[in-house]
């Protein structure tokens, strides 16, 4: 069966520090991968999605970047965190072009 | 562009009672999927139920069922015999079947409280 792993679960980082959140999927090949952010416990904002290795689409301009170095690995990064980067980050995967998404357990990021 | 609207920011139900959460969507496509996701306080997104647009029969999953009205572009979620563990944020979502625009589009959510 397919599983999705996301870590860390909680992260407190100072302003200006780098960020790396990792997401991996097991039990499937060629998944679509997604990064979402949820602020204030409401509404999900799609940040990035990827349909293949090295293929990244950005939905909104921001201080973050994403990479997909392997088929089932998706990384969210920042070189210098801002206070406004605080939030709850969710990774998700889907079968290409159809069906629902399966979400990871999320990372709660607090920038101080 | 497709949109999903949840007009009820908050709902409340007594334990063991039935509650219906509303969702409407706008699309010009004929083939698509609709979903209800549950987000409990842990903030994990959990798929509750899904409906393929080509299926006329309403989907059911135990105490959860939907009322899918394709012509009216309505997709409501009914929770029967509500339990304390049903308390969560519920998101309605839409995804087209194939094509270039294929991202999951979420509504703004309905926060459901279950009263003992």
């Amino acid at each position: 069966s397919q599983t999705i792993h996301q870590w860390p679960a909680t992260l407190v980082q100072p302003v200006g520090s780098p960020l790396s959140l990792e997401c991996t999927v097991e039990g499937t090949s060629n998944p679509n991968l997604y990064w979402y952010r949820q602020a204030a416990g409401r509404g999900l904002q799609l940040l990035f999605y990827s349909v293949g290795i090295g293929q990244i689409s950005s939905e909104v301009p921001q201080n973050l970047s994403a990479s997909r170095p392997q088929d089932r690995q998706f990384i969210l990064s920042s070189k210098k965190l801002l206070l406004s980067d605080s939030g709850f980050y969710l990774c998700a995967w889907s079968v290409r072009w159809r069906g629902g998404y399966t979400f990871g357990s999320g990372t709660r990021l607090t920038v101080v | 562009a497709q949109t999903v609207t949840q007009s009820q920011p908050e709902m409340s139900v007594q334990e063991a009672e039935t509650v219906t959460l509303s969702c409407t969507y706008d699309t010009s496509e004929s083939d698509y999927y609709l979903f209800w996701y549950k987000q409990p306080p842990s903030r994990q997104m959990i798929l509750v139920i899904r409906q393929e647009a080509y299926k006329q029969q309403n989907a059911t999953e135990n105490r959860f069922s939907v009322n899918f009205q394709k012509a009216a572009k309505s997709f409501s979620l009914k929770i029967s015999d509500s339990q304390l563990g049903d308390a969560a944020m519920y998101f309605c979502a839409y995804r087209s079947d194939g094509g270039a625009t294929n991202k999951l589009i979420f509504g703004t959510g309905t926060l459901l409280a279950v009263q003992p």
Side-chain angles (χ1 to χ4, degrees):
Chain A
S1 63
Q2 301 92 356
T3 57
I4 179 169
H5 303 280
Q6 187 180 344
W7 67 93
T10 305
L11 194 58
V12 179
Q13 292 284 95
V15 170
S17 64
L19 173 73
S20 181
L21 303 182
E22 189 162 343
C23 173
T24 60
V25 180
E26 295 178 357
T28 188
S29 299
N30 302 315
N32 282 6
L33 296 171
Y34 310 86
W35 278 112
Y36 281 87
R37 177 168 61 199
Q38 187 178 33
R42 197 168 187 109
L44 292 98
Q45 180 185 38
L46 179 62
L47 301 176
F48 301 95
Y49 67 96
S50 172
V51 300
I53 296 174
Q55 300 179 60
I56 308 295
S57 296
S58 175
E59 286 293 292
V60 292
Q62 59 207 316
N63 184 43
L64 302 168
S65 62
S67 62
R68 185 170 177 174
Q70 300 179 42
D71 181 44
R72 290 169 288 178
Q73 184 185 29
F74 204 25
I75 297 171
L76 183 69
S77 304
S78 174
K79 292 182 179 178
K80 290 185 177 181
L81 284 169
L82 306 172
L83 288 174
S84 57
D85 291 325
S86 293
F88 189 67
Y89 290 83
L90 284 159
C91 179
W93 78 273
S94 74
V95 173
R96 195 145 298 172
W97 307 135
R98 58 183 62 241
Y101 291 8
T102 300
F103 287 84
S105 54
T107 296
R108 192 180 309 273
L109 172 66
T110 304
V111 182
V112 296
Chain B
Q2 296 85 5
T3 58
V4 177
T5 302
Q6 293 179 251
S7 58
Q8 306 154 316
E10 298 182 11
M11 294 280 286
S12 182
V13 63
Q14 292 292 126
E15 198 175 2
E17 297 290 305
T18 296
V19 64
T20 298
L21 308 184
S22 301
C23 173
T24 58
Y25 58 95
D26 188 26
T27 184
S28 59
E29 298 171 329
S30 58
D31 296 322
Y32 50 87
Y33 300 87
L34 294 165
F35 308 89
W36 279 98
Y37 281 89
K38 170 185 178 181
Q39 189 179 39
S42 68
R43 303 188 80 173
Q44 168 91 54
M45 290 288 285
I46 302 166
L47 178 63
V48 175
I49 199 165
R50 61 181 276 172
Q51 175 82 42
E52 289 87 346
Y54 67 86
K55 290 186 177 178
Q56 294 186 343
Q57 186 173 7
N58 289 325
T60 62
E61 288 287 340
N62 301 313
R63 298 182 295 107
F64 298 86
S65 61
V66 298
N67 184 4
F68 173 47
Q69 302 289 329
K70 191 172 184 179
K73 297 179 183 176
S74 171
F75 183 61
S76 61
L77 175 70
K78 185 172 80 171
I79 306 174
S80 304
D81 186 25
S82 296
Q83 300 175 359
L84 295 177
D86 295 333
M89 181 75 85
Y90 287 83
F91 291 95
C92 179
Y94 168 102
R95 189 183 190 192
S96 61
D97 186 1
T101 304
N102 195 239
K103 297 181 286 290
L104 195 60
I105 300 167
F106 286 94
T108 52
T110 296
L111 183 61
L112 177 66
V114 180
Q115 308 299 330

